Amino acid sequence: YMFFFSASQLEPRAEFWISNGLPEKTGRLNDLFPEIESGFRNQHPIFCADDTGAYFLHPDAMQVMRLWRYNPGEEHLRPLAEVPGLVGEMVLFGDRLIFPMFEPGLGIELWTYDPAVGEIQLVKDLWAGNDSSNPEHLFPWKDGVYFRADSMSDGIELWRTDGTERGTLRVIDINPHALSSGAYGFVPAGDYLFFRAYHNDYGDELWATKGEIGKMPVVFDVFPGSQSSHPYSMAAIGSYL
């Protein structure tokens, strides 16, 4: 296994480091940006890694924001696609990189990088036009990436995507009539994905879904009625939460 991070030995220069948890196996990779005097310039990159390597965002020598890839055993990073907007969190689903990004005229929407295509593409404009759906709390689980997003008709609700427009669907409108459930805090346990969400009749409570589109998740009304139990610090032990 590998652990990726940015660190600095001489301010303000930060560089790309790798570790397997042992001091003797922790070190800086090659000077990835020798032509840029200040390395990461104290702008720590957004990383996304799996067992095969790491993606991260950083300007190139011309100060163009770009997506980069590191593969273990290679001496240098590989520059990939130019990134036209501001990116938030990134997650991997299969070979696809999925992330929210701001683009003028679209707002903050869901985008993807598919290595087979070699460019960054819009997944779906969930709130059409200039308004932002603000997808966040991205969580890969089973057959998709679960997240919450806003839309004019449904408010902030639970969505799922496989990185394609056709495969991006609202799971369910938990708190109906343009009111928001604000689903977040995803924790898988057994066959369910647990999370907390708000409903007018139950308050802020614990919910669970199997990911079935259009099927209302199970609610655990810890504090009966419209009062809220505000569940937090959730952790899975085997199939139990």
Side-chain angles (χ1 to χ4, degrees):
Y1 62 92
M2 297 168 290
F3 176 72
F4 301 92
F5 61 100
S6 65
S8 175
Q9 288 180 309
L10 180 63
E11 295 291 347
R13 189 179 185 84
E15 285 292 346
F16 191 52
W17 291 64
I18 188 170
S19 175
N20 70 352
L22 299 174
E24 63 272 17
K25 295 294 184 180
T26 300
R28 193 191 78 177
L29 296 174
N30 289 355
D31 192 349
L32 303 179
F33 303 100
E35 70 279 13
I36 301 177
E37 180 181 353
S38 58
F40 287 138
R41 300 187 173 205
N42 283 333
Q43 298 175 6
H44 294 289
I46 299 173
F47 285 107
C48 184
D50 62 11
D51 293 338
T52 66
Y55 289 97
F56 76 95
L57 297 173
H58 192 274
D60 60 19
M62 302 303 294
Q63 292 303 298
V64 174
M65 186 60 71
R66 190 170 294 277
L67 180 67
W68 301 76
R69 171 75 181 177
Y70 169 72
N71 291 323
E74 295 184 2
E75 292 186 1
H76 301 286
L77 285 173
R78 288 190 288 122
L80 302 174
E82 181 179 334
V83 179
L86 299 175
V87 174
E89 57 189 311
M90 299 191 299
V91 299
L92 277 165
F93 179 69
D95 292 333
R96 288 178 178 267
L97 195 62
I98 299 174
F99 49 88
M101 184 175 76
F102 173 79
E103 175 79 355
L106 289 172
I108 303 174
E109 295 295 343
L110 203 62
W111 294 72
T112 185
Y113 173 78
D114 184 350
V117 178
E119 62 182 27
I120 290 173
Q121 299 176 314
L122 176 68
V123 175
K124 192 171 186 176
D125 189 4
L126 300 180
W127 190 322
N130 294 322
D131 292 302
S132 299
S133 68
N134 291 311
E136 57 183 354
H137 300 288
L138 278 62
F139 191 86
W141 182 67
K142 289 189 176 180
D143 53 353
V145 174
Y146 291 77
F147 62 98
R148 74 179 190 184
D150 199 355
S151 69
M152 182 173 61
S153 59
D154 303 322
I156 302 172
E157 292 294 345
L158 179 64
W159 290 73
R160 186 186 75 197
T161 184
D162 62 1
T164 68
E165 181 178 7
R166 185 176 181 178
T168 302
L169 303 165
R170 190 195 65 194
V171 177
I172 192 71
D173 188 4
I174 296 173
N175 201 21
H177 311 305
L179 301 173
S180 297
S181 71
Y184 77 105
F186 303 113
V187 178
D191 295 329
Y192 288 91
L193 183 65
F194 292 86
F195 58 95
R196 61 185 291 182
Y198 180 84
H199 188 285
N200 279 3
D201 294 338
Y202 306 112
D204 182 12
E205 293 291 350
L206 182 65
W207 295 71
T209 180
K210 288 187 174 181
E212 298 164 298
I213 301 298
K215 186 173 182 179
M216 183 64 76
V218 177
V219 61
F220 299 89
D221 196 5
V222 179
F223 196 143
S226 60
Q227 299 296 320
S228 299
S229 69
H230 303 295
Y232 65 98
S233 297
M234 295 182 289
I237 302 176
S239 60
Y240 291 89
L241 185 72

